[in-house]
Amino acid sequence: MRMHRLVASLIALVVMAATPLALAAPATAADKVKREIRVQGIEPKPNKFFIKGAVETGTYPKSKLVMMRKPGGTKNWKTFTTFKTDGKSKFRVRVFGPARGQQKVCYKVKAPSSKKYKTSFSKSLCVVRL
């Protein structure tokens, strides 16, 4: 009977000692969450286009984001420009319409990964020539 109690108490001590180690483990890719990036296209003057928006999930003040561009008819997204958010995690970036001979160009915003968040993308916005 004493041996059984001794074994049970040793197991309990080992489990209690291992619990903080399991809780302090770094986040894996499955544990990370995506940032919510809200974007909106605006045209304040004819043929002058801006994309404005905000990083909704978590705070992201004065941090880098990447604007990606995809000309019409291509498959690949390429980096258009990098920029920083303001103190309220909001941004506004000037973008351009399609080049001569193209019908549309699309843009999206990318937030890089961190210890807590996955690499995240906004929905894509397209400027179409009429």
Side-chain angles (χ1 to χ4, degrees):
M1 186 67 132
R2 278 184 158 208
M3 188 62 138
H4 186 50
R5 282 188 198 166
L6 183 64
V7 170
S9 63
L10 284 175
I11 291 173
L13 284 174
V14 169
V15 168
M16 287 175 48
T19 301
L21 295 175
L23 295 176
T28 62
D31 296 338
K32 292 183 176 184
V33 294
K34 290 180 103 176
R35 282 190 174 96
E36 177 101 17
I37 304 172
R38 178 180 44 87
V39 292
Q40 177 185 2
I42 56 172
E43 185 180 10
K45 294 181 182 177
N47 295 323
K48 195 168 192 177
F49 306 101
F50 289 89
I51 293 180
K52 70 176 187 175
V55 179
E56 300 287 330
T57 307
T59 58
Y60 204 64
K62 299 186 179 180
S63 300
K64 285 187 178 182
L65 292 174
V66 177
M67 179 69 69
M68 302 184 78
R69 181 176 195 259
K70 178 181 166 185
T74 63
K75 294 181 182 180
N76 299 332
W77 288 93
K78 295 183 180 180
T79 298
F80 174 66
T81 187
T82 57
F83 58 95
K84 288 188 175 185
T85 59
D86 65 6
K88 297 179 182 177
S89 303
K90 295 182 180 184
F91 60 89
R92 177 180 162 147
V93 179
R94 173 136 191 229
V95 295
F96 301 98
R100 268 187 207 157
Q102 293 183 344
Q103 289 300 311
K104 75 176 185 176
V105 62
C106 297
Y107 295 93
K108 67 180 175 181
V109 178
K110 172 184 159 185
S113 64
S114 66
K115 292 179 182 177
K116 188 176 176 182
Y117 295 100
K118 293 179 187 178
T119 300
S120 305
F121 296 94
S122 69
K123 66 178 184 175
S124 63
L125 296 173
C126 298
V127 179
V128 180
R129 185 184 305 270
L130 297 176

